[in-house]
Amino acid sequence: MNLHEYQGKEILASFGVRIQRGIVAHNKKEAVDAAKQLTQETGTSWHVIKAQVHAGGRGKGGGVKLAKNLKEVESIAEEIIGMNLVTPQTSAEGKKVHQVLVAEDVYYPGDSDTEEYYMSVLLNRAESRVMIMYSPEGGMDIEEVADKTPHLIFTEEIDPATGLLPFQARKIAFNLGLSGTAFKEMTRFVSSLYKAYEQSDASLFEINPVLKTSDDKILAVDAKVSLDDNALFRRKQYAEMRDLREENPIEVEARAVGLNYVDLDGNVGCMVNGAGLAMATMDLIKMAGGEPANFLDVGGTADAKRVEEAFRIILKDANVKAILINIFGGIVRCDRVAQGVVDAYKNMGDAIKVPIIVRLQGTNAELAKEILDNSGLAVHSAVQFQEAADKVKEVLA
Ligand code: GDP
Ligand code: MN
């Protein structure tokens, strides 16, 4: 689950990470009130107005703007709220902005002593370890830094048994070229950031930029945070931060009926049991010249009700030109699954207008094929993987 910048910063602040302070606003009046309140609290009269959408690169798309007085706060908030923000990370249509973060300006005017760093905490899957990735070259274009000057990207791996050790935090501060107060501030920043990551069951905390102010404070100016969906049951206060408006509507519906569904760009819908088989099926579709329209793991029970729910979800995607059902029948026998497919198909009346290829393997596979072949429905049955791939190719041609 992804969070908005303001929510990520809330979590950071609760673990003692210093942040650029801000208040969320939904319209220009709230924005002006927020700016006034921030001025009272922080003394700054300049503010940045930041679009809150689940996408990076907002600065480049015109979603982050500096306001030097309340009039500008009002006009910029009015301009940004309601706009479709297009950034290098959104689709061409962009994302609708429902709210902005009105934040204190932390780049003191005329000040050349500020520095922008990059820092993220994430899981290094190859090493099975959490790592901190950081660079003295933060700001907007970290991808370019990684591309052109990869030696300026550092990583620090963390032993799960010990957690982040003090010498590691010092090494990071040293590699960022800091000394004195800023050095101490950075070690504190890093250890609080790591604690926030660990105790929120996050999969990513990306802070770009981390700012060093001219008076040697280290603070998070941006926050991109993803939390592990599978841990949300024990993080109720974070689970409530979910903003469904930012998520793919088909995925939201699939989650509501308990299906593991990920929307993709292709034209062949997949209905599979087991995540591993689902991945293999997507490969199979590619090899047959198609592109998977989704990842869908129906889980252990592939009965008629479940198959029907899956059909409905897959068919919401208008790009789907064919559906490949690839199910391994172990405890759930293939003939039961086949009957489930037939029943679901019939239940749906004429909702299914695309060819269906069904490959069932496992207990009673031959019997299942008979059920499908004798159903009188536009269902192509297959027992072998290759057969299924050939049929996909055939119906796409
Ligand atoms: P992103 O473009 O989506 O990554 O959004 P960021 O929160 O990183 O903001 C983009 C850029 O806006 C940053 O790299 C900063 O250079 C700039 N910015 C952010 N906060 C301030 C601020 O308080 N004052 C000024 N002048 N610029 C800021
Ligand atoms: Mn950023």
Side-chain angles (χ1 to χ4, degrees), residues 280-395:
T281 304
M282 289 159 66
D283 286 348
L284 179 80
I285 289 169
K286 280 221 163 205
M287 278 151 55
E291 288 286 334
N294 65 272
F295 167 98
L296 173 59
D297 171 10
V298 292
T301 44
D303 56 13
K305 181 166 172 288
R306 195 92 176 134
V307 171
E308 191 176 328
E309 279 167 343
F311 269 138
R312 288 192 195 283
I313 296 287
I314 293 173
L315 289 170
K316 281 184 195 289
D317 180 347
N319 296 327
V320 169
K321 298 282 175 286
I323 296 176
L324 172 57
I325 302 179
N326 191 8
I327 286 178
F328 177 77
I331 296 171
V332 202
R333 301 183 330 248
C334 292
D335 53 317
R336 297 275 306 273
V337 177
Q339 197 56 51
V341 171
V342 170
D343 292 348
Y345 199 118
K346 285 185 176 153
N347 270 344
M348 291 187 62
D350 55 0
I352 300 179
K353 297 195 170 62
V354 297
I356 314 273
I357 300 112
V358 187
R359 184 242 177 189
L360 293 169
Q361 187 54 280
T363 314
N364 291 354
E366 295 298 335
L367 182 57
K369 185 168 162 39
E370 256 170 55
I371 292 172
L372 294 170
D373 290 344
N374 297 332
S375 68
L377 301 169
V379 174
H380 308 258
S381 67
V383 175
Q384 298 304 323
F385 223 55
Q386 192 52 48
E387 237 181 307
D390 292 343
K391 292 223 159 100
V392 171
K393 203 180 272 176
E394 214 177 289
V395 301

Side-chain angles (χ1 to χ4, degrees), residues 25-26 50-53 63 77 79-86 94-101 245-246:
H26 302 88
K50 312 180 80 178
Q52 298 298 291
V53 291
E79 175 196 333
I80 295 182
I81 297 170
M83 84 189 281
N84 271 331
L85 181 61
V86 180
K95 291 205 116 178
K96 177 126 178 141
V97 183
H98 299 283
Q99 51 196 353
V100 291
L101 182 64
R245 293 173 301 188
E246 294 290 325

Side-chain angles (χ1 to χ4, degrees), residues 122-396:
L122 68 163
L123 184 63
N124 180 344
R125 290 172 194 278
E127 298 291 331
S128 311
R129 295 229 163 150
V130 170
M131 68 177 178
I132 298 179
M133 192 182 282
Y134 61 103
S135 172
E137 294 294 315
M140 298 229 231
D141 278 309
I142 194 63
E143 289 80 10
E144 205 178 306
V145 177
D147 214 33
K148 301 206 169 118
T149 48
H151 62 281
L152 291 178
I153 307 249
F154 299 87
T155 57
E156 189 66 34
E157 266 168 25
I158 294 151
D159 187 327
T162 59
L164 179 77
L165 293 169
F167 87 89
Q168 294 182 295
R170 289 198 296 273
K171 186 167 139 204
I172 291 170
F174 179 80
N175 282 337
L176 290 172
L178 298 171
S179 59
T181 310
F183 184 98
K184 278 206 201 92
E185 273 263 328
M186 181 57 84
T187 58
R188 232 175 277 144
F189 182 92
V190 173
S191 39
S192 311
L193 173 62
Y194 177 73
K195 201 162 80 190
Y197 175 91
E198 201 187 21
Q199 296 188 15
S200 61
D201 287 313
S203 47
L204 173 73
F205 263 85
E206 185 181 56
I207 318 295
N208 189 29
V210 173
L211 184 76
K212 181 181 88 68
T213 62
S214 51
D215 52 356
D216 281 342
K217 291 198 180 84
I218 303 292
L219 51 93
V221 168
D222 192 5
K224 177 176 178 180
V225 175
S226 302
L227 302 181
D228 184 346
D229 279 313
N230 294 316
L232 287 176
F233 73 94
R234 62 178 192 185
R235 304 287 177 206
K236 295 258 165 22
Q237 77 275 33
Y238 302 145
E240 283 167 12
M241 291 178 167
R242 177 157 244 144
D243 185 349
L244 293 178
R245 293 173 301 188
E246 294 290 325
E247 300 188 13
N248 178 302
I250 309 179
E251 292 183 4
V252 171
E253 248 178 86
R255 193 180 319 118
V257 293
L259 290 168
N260 292 310
Y261 174 93
V262 180
D263 199 31
L264 301 168
D265 294 330
N267 51 6
V268 183
C270 316
M271 191 189 307
V272 190
N273 65 341
L277 187 58
M279 301 296 273
T281 304
M282 289 159 66
D283 286 348
L284 179 80
I285 289 169
K286 280 221 163 205
M287 278 151 55
E291 288 286 334
N294 65 272
F295 167 98
L296 173 59
D297 171 10
V298 292
T301 44
D303 56 13
K305 181 166 172 288
R306 195 92 176 134
V307 171
E308 191 176 328
E309 279 167 343
F311 269 138
R312 288 192 195 283
I313 296 287
I314 293 173
L315 289 170
K316 281 184 195 289
D317 180 347
N319 296 327
V320 169
K321 298 282 175 286
I323 296 176
L324 172 57
I325 302 179
N326 191 8
I327 286 178
F328 177 77
I331 296 171
V332 202
R333 301 183 330 248
C334 292
D335 53 317
R336 297 275 306 273
V337 177
Q339 197 56 51
V341 171
V342 170
D343 292 348
Y345 199 118
K346 285 185 176 153
N347 270 344
M348 291 187 62
D350 55 0
I352 300 179
K353 297 195 170 62
V354 297
I356 314 273
I357 300 112
V358 187
R359 184 242 177 189
L360 293 169
Q361 187 54 280
T363 314
N364 291 354
E366 295 298 335
L367 182 57
K369 185 168 162 39
E370 256 170 55
I371 292 172
L372 294 170
D373 290 344
N374 297 332
S375 68
L377 301 169
V379 174
H380 308 258
S381 67
V383 175
Q384 298 304 323
F385 223 55
Q386 192 52 48
E387 237 181 307
D390 292 343
K391 292 223 159 100
V392 171
K393 203 180 272 176
E394 214 177 289
V395 301
L396 286 179

